[in-house]
């Protein structure tokens, strides 16, 4: 199996409730390593640029507004099939549909305040990681 990197963002609802350690424990216990991490406050321009792929969708403005409503923790996770493993650990976007034991089932407040973002492909992971981190910031 391939060792991959993926981007994880702990969203404002998670940071507001001090869930960073609890969520990271899920990643680490599942065999993912945290290679880089930073707590940041996104500007509107940064959030719009990051989520530009959704610009034409009806939820874009709400998503951007939510992502700038408080600090987030951006991080690089690494491990075997990290993209798929992270998505499995996160669970369904709608926490009501998320499998028991997934991050969203345990911690999300709603479909919007669902605690975490994760890259959906290896290609997107590379692009998303480079949005937040220079290669020198990633250790491991």
């Amino acid at each position: 199996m391939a060792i991959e990197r993926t981007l994880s963002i702990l969203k404002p609802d998670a940071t507001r409730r001090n869930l960073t350690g609890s969520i990271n424990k899920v990643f680490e216990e599942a065999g993912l390593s945290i290679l880089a991490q930073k707590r940041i406050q996104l500007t509107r321009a940064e959030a719009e640029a990051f989520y530009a792929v959704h610009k034409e969708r009806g939820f874009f403005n709400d998503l951007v507004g939510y992502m700038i409503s408080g600090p987030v923790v951006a991080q690089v996770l690494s491990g075997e099939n990290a993209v798929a493993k992270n998505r499995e650990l996160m669970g369904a976007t709608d926490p009501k549909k998320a499998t028991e034991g997934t991050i969203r089932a345990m911690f999300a407040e709603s479909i919007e305040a669902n605690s975490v973002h994760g890259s959906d492909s290896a290609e997107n992971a590379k692009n998303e990681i480079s949005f937040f981190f220079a290669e020198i910031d990633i250790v491991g």
Side-chain angles (χ1 to χ4, degrees):
M1 297 202 179
I3 300 295
E4 296 177 326
R5 291 177 177 175
T6 190
L7 183 79
S8 169
I9 300 175
L10 307 187
K11 294 182 176 180
D13 67 286
T15 62
R16 176 178 40 80
R17 294 180 291 141
N18 295 317
L19 295 174
T20 302
S22 298
I23 293 171
N24 284 340
K25 182 178 180 184
V26 174
F27 294 140
E28 290 177 329
E29 287 181 347
L32 295 174
S33 299
I34 300 168
L35 303 184
Q37 182 182 69
K38 61 181 166 183
R39 184 180 186 96
I40 57 174
Q41 177 70 53
L42 292 171
T43 65
R44 178 168 296 280
E46 289 166 338
E48 287 175 348
F50 184 76
Y51 286 108
V53 66
H54 299 302
K55 190 168 181 73
E56 301 304 319
R57 300 179 113 173
F59 61 81
F60 178 75
N61 287 326
D62 288 341
L63 174 60
V64 168
Y66 169 63
M67 291 301 290
I68 65 172
S69 69
V72 300
V73 175
Q75 51 194 17
V76 179
L77 305 178
S78 175
E80 288 188 11
N81 296 313
V83 173
K85 183 175 278 189
N86 182 36
R87 296 197 62 79
E88 178 183 328
L89 293 170
M90 288 190 309
T93 302
D94 183 347
K96 293 177 185 169
K97 297 177 182 175
T99 303
E100 186 177 333
T102 62
I103 292 167
R104 289 176 173 150
M106 292 187 291
F107 301 115
E109 295 179 317
S110 67
I111 195 166
E112 181 182 74
N114 61 21
S115 299
V116 287
H117 164 90
S119 303
D120 62 3
S121 69
E123 181 181 339
N124 282 343
K126 188 174 185 172
N127 293 332
E128 290 181 351
I129 288 167
S130 68
F131 186 89
F132 290 101
F133 299 95
E135 193 61 35
I136 195 169
D137 297 326
I138 304 170
V139 180

